[in-house]
Amino acid sequence: MIALPENTRLMDDAGATARAAAEHLITQVTSAEGERAAVCLSGGSTPKRLYALLASPGFVERVPWARVHWFFGDDRVVPWDDPLSNVRMVREAFGHAAPVPPTHLHFIPSDEGAEAGARAYEATLKDFYGAGKLDPARPLFDLVLLGLGSDGHTASLFPGKPAVDERAAWVAPVPEAGMEPFVPRISLTFPTLASARSVLFLVNGAGKRDPLQHLAAGEDLPASHATSAGTLTWFIDREAADA
Ligand code: 6PG
C-alpha cells in the first residue's frame, strides 16, 4: 500500500467511496445552519457515480433538494451542452430523478470567455454569500468536493499556472489548462475552496497512485494547497491506494 494523506478513509472500491460520499453530503446539507445549504461540486469522471447515486432510490428521498444550492469548483469554457462541460455531466448524472430547483443549480457562465466568466461567477458567489470578504467563521460552503488529477491538480488549479497562487480573487480564469481537455477553464481559487465546513477529496483507481505518492512525499502539488475552514478528508479506494 502506498503512503496516503492524513485523514484518509480507505474503502474497498469506487462504489464504496461513492456511497460514503453520498452519506457525508447528506449529513452536511441536513446539518447546515439556516434555510439554505451550499455544495460545491467537482468535475471530471470520478464524481459521476456519486451524483447519480444521489438521484437514486435510497438517497434521492433523503436529500433536502429544496434547500440545497449546487455550485461548481470549476468548469471548462465550452457550451453547457458540450460533452466536456461539467454542468452537462452533473445534469446527466442527476437526470430527471433529482428535483433540483432550476435556480439552485449555479452554473459557471461559459459563454463569455474565461475572464468575464470568472468575474461573473465571483459576483454570483458573493451575492449568495452576502458579503465581499470570506469570513473563516462563516464558511461559504457546507461541502466542497474535489478530485485529484494525475499531475496533482485539483479543480482547474494546475501545477505552474498563476491561478494556483491567487489569493485575492474568489474565481480565476485559467486560459491554458495544464492537462486535457486543453480548453480554457474557470476555477474557484484555494481561499474560496477552503471556505467550507467540510472539504472532501474523492479519489479512485490506479491512475491516482502516482499523484498520491508525490503528495505523500511532500511535493508541492496544487492539491497539497487545499485547506478547509472545517474538516478536510480523503475517501480513497483500494485500487488507488494499491492496498
Ligand atoms: C475537472 C475537475 C478536475 C478533476 C480531476 C480528476 O473539471 O476536470 O474538476 O479537477 O477533479 O481532473 O478528474 P477524474 O475524476 O476524471 O480523474
Side-chain angles (χ1 to χ4, degrees):
M1 181 164 87
I2 64 172
L4 297 173
E6 273 179 44
N7 305 323
T8 289
R9 277 181 56 190
L10 184 62
M11 301 182 193
D12 281 344
D13 53 31
T17 56
R19 284 189 299 277
E23 293 295 350
H24 183 64
L25 184 147
I26 289 168
T27 299
Q28 288 306 108
V29 298
T30 47
S31 64
E33 286 181 20
E35 282 106 60
R36 302 182 306 184
V39 175
C40 184
L41 300 171
S42 61
S45 56
T46 300
K48 285 180 192 171
R49 191 178 193 137
L50 163 60
Y51 303 154
L53 193 61
L54 291 170
S56 70
F59 291 92
V60 69
E61 59 277 0
R62 296 167 54 207
V63 177
W65 297 97
R67 292 184 62 214
V68 185
H69 287 256
W70 307 91
F71 296 87
F72 289 79
D74 69 317
D75 212 340
R76 295 77 182 272
V77 184
V78 295
W80 292 331
D81 58 359
D82 187 299
L84 292 177
S85 163
N86 286 335
V87 175
R88 172 173 161 166
M89 178 271 287
V90 169
R91 283 177 134 173
E92 284 179 347
F94 277 168
H96 298 293
V100 179
T103 56
H104 286 208
L105 192 64
H106 303 275
F107 315 165
I108 296 178
S110 63
D111 52 355
E112 306 161 60
E115 297 278 345
R119 283 196 304 274
Y121 205 57
E122 179 157 328
T124 296
L125 292 175
K126 288 179 173 176
D127 183 53
F128 181 83
Y129 186 64
K133 190 167 168 26
L134 290 167
D135 174 356
R138 187 171 71 89
L140 167 58
F141 298 115
D142 296 288
L143 175 64
V144 168
L145 294 169
L146 291 175
L148 178 66
S150 56
D151 62 349
H153 82 262
T154 192
S156 281
L157 300 169
F158 297 98
K161 302 292 182 183
V164 171
D165 300 317
E166 177 58 53
R167 292 293 177 270
W170 292 27
V171 186
V174 182
E176 283 175 23
M179 257 187 74
E180 74 280 345
F182 289 103
V183 295
R185 314 286 190 91
I186 293 170
S187 183
L188 270 56
T189 56
F190 278 119
T192 313
L193 295 169
S195 184
R197 292 199 296 126
S198 171
V199 172
L200 176 61
F201 276 92
L202 208 46
V203 181
N204 299 322
K208 308 298 181 179
R209 287 176 193 168
D210 194 47
L212 284 172
Q213 286 178 301
H214 288 297
L215 284 171
E219 283 188 37
D220 180 15
L221 296 174
S224 65
H225 293 235
T227 57
S228 171
T231 60
L232 191 152
T233 313
W234 295 73
F235 286 0
I236 298 177
D237 77 350
R238 288 191 180 284
E239 198 183 332
D242 194 12

